[in-house]
Amino acid sequence: MIFYYSGCGNSRFVAESLSEALGEELVFIPDAAREGRSGWTLKEGERLGFVCPVYCWAPPRLVLDFVRRLSFRGKPGYCYLVLTYGDSAGYSVEVFRKALLKVGLRLDASFGFVMPETYVNIKVMKLDTPEFARAKIDRTRGELPRVASLIRDGAAADEVFRGRMAWLYTYVVRPFFYRFLVTDRPWHTTDACTGCGLCAKVCPLHNIVIENSSPKWLGNCTTCNACYNYCPANAIRFGKATEGKGQYHFTENV
């Protein structure tokens, strides 16, 4: 069984690739959370995987909240975490391991894949060039069979790149991000908005509704930037920080 979360598609690509290679059932965390599901049954010795992006140098809060509510009938034979991130993960593994321990589970392995940037909500942050994004995806695609083989063999591994000043970013800078930048208040649309409603459809938290042909954010945003990156008219803005920046979401033809 693989639990996964993805906003702009990077983690979905990794989760679906591993699911196909390993023959594992996929569970989309936001859907399971909305349904109120917290209890699950595992077969004897079953592998248990989690795939998600890194937000603010840790797994997304919604993923951690979901994990802390989990309960299982049966114990997994092997438990692993797979992270996607633009450059480094900080202490994401350590944060996730602590959440798992609260429900009596042990993390046996962690893997990381560098994937194209999706977060541009600060002026100095930019998306990767199309060429660099393609190179990241190609490298991940090439590494996935090896990682799937390690998971299949139940290998102990720690292949996550934490980066410089990892502790500082995760435990000092991250709270600042959540206090001031993980919010939907700055989101708005330009006159280019056509009211197509795609932003509401791609929002993994169902945090957008269309009113009077325009999106309205409802206050439960994790700043995954799916609304911004999928908008066909490039009409969605996060304050002024996203002005003049491009868009990215995972496709096979990036």
Side-chain angles (χ1 to χ4, degrees), residues 41-235:
T41 299
L42 296 174
K43 301 174 184 175
E44 184 176 353
E46 183 176 349
R47 291 183 295 260
L48 178 62
F50 298 87
V51 181
C52 69
V54 170
Y55 289 173
C56 311
W57 302 283
R61 183 178 289 172
L62 69 96
V63 172
L64 296 173
D65 288 344
F66 178 79
V67 168
R68 295 185 187 108
R69 292 193 297 267
L70 283 174
S71 63
F72 290 98
R73 179 178 297 175
K75 286 283 188 179
Y78 178 74
C79 185
Y80 63 93
L81 170 67
V82 181
L83 298 168
T84 64
Y85 41 86
D87 49 27
S88 63
Y91 269 35
S92 294
V93 175
E94 288 75 9
V95 171
F96 190 82
R97 180 181 288 114
K98 185 176 180 180
L100 270 185
L101 285 173
K102 288 186 178 295
V103 293
L105 296 177
R106 183 190 69 193
L107 186 65
D108 296 301
S110 54
F111 305 92
F113 293 101
V114 177
M115 290 289 281
E117 297 281 1
T118 62
Y119 185 83
V120 290
N121 299 12
I122 298 176
K123 286 188 177 181
V124 297
M125 291 184 171
K126 298 180 180 180
L127 295 178
D128 296 320
T129 65
E131 294 78 16
F132 195 29
R134 169 51 59 187
K136 286 182 173 181
I137 293 170
D138 287 346
R139 182 175 179 180
T140 292
R141 185 178 281 112
E143 281 288 295
L144 276 164
R146 181 186 66 82
V147 170
S149 180
L150 290 174
I151 293 171
R152 189 180 297 111
D153 294 341
D158 182 358
E159 298 190 358
V160 173
F161 178 65
R162 288 161 174 77
R164 297 175 63 242
M165 300 187 295
W167 186 94
L168 177 71
Y169 282 125
T170 297
Y171 295 112
V172 178
V173 180
R174 175 172 169 256
F176 170 85
F177 262 79
Y178 269 96
R179 182 175 181 182
F180 297 106
L181 294 172
V182 180
T183 173
D184 58 16
R185 288 191 296 271
W187 289 118
H188 64 280
T189 58
T190 69
D191 291 341
C193 176
T194 64
C196 71
L198 182 60
C199 54
K201 293 178 182 177
V202 300
C203 177
L205 299 187
H206 294 190
N207 183 52
I208 301 173
V209 295
I210 304 300
E211 292 186 355
N212 299 318
S213 300
S214 295
K216 177 183 178 182
W217 286 262
L218 302 177
N220 185 33
C221 183
T222 192
T223 59
C224 72
N225 282 20
C227 58
Y228 168 80
N229 283 308
Y230 277 93
C231 177
N234 194 11

